[in-house]
Amino acid sequence: VIAPQAMPALASIEDYSEAVHAPLYLFDRDWDVMQEKAHFIYRSKHREIKSALPALPGEHQILNAGTAIAALDQLPQFTIS
């Protein structure tokens, strides 16, 4: 699961992933997260989740929450509701 990255870093991650045959689950390709009023929305091809904003301060917490959900999205043994 890859959160937003600067292009040089993303290119390196993609190259290494390909070299070791590791799948990538990329922000803005496979999943995204955004704020909508007093909520955030996580979207992927598997689901859409609308949730209250994280209690921790900082707009970056929305991305952190989205990244955590994206990680769980890739683990079939976990149910997200």
Side-chain angles (χ1 to χ4, degrees):
V1 174
I2 308 299
Q5 301 293 319
M7 199 49 164
L10 181 57
S12 293
I13 292 167
E14 289 175 324
D15 290 346
Y16 186 75
S17 169
E18 187 176 321
V20 298
H21 307 286
L24 290 178
Y25 197 58
L26 296 174
F27 176 80
D28 225 11
R29 182 190 79 182
D30 302 307
W31 66 276
D32 68 6
V33 65
M34 66 191 74
Q35 183 173 349
E36 184 178 277
K37 299 182 183 178
H39 296 88
F40 75 92
I41 299 174
Y42 168 87
R43 288 188 182 106
S44 73
K45 64 181 176 183
H46 305 291
R47 69 191 85 249
E48 181 173 309
I49 297 172
K50 183 176 181 180
S51 183
L53 291 173
L56 295 171
E59 290 184 24
H60 66 285
Q61 298 299 344
I62 296 167
L63 182 57
N64 289 347
T67 304
I69 294 169
L72 290 174
D73 225 0
Q74 296 303 294
L75 300 171
Q77 67 269 33
F78 289 94
T79 302
I80 302 172
S81 58

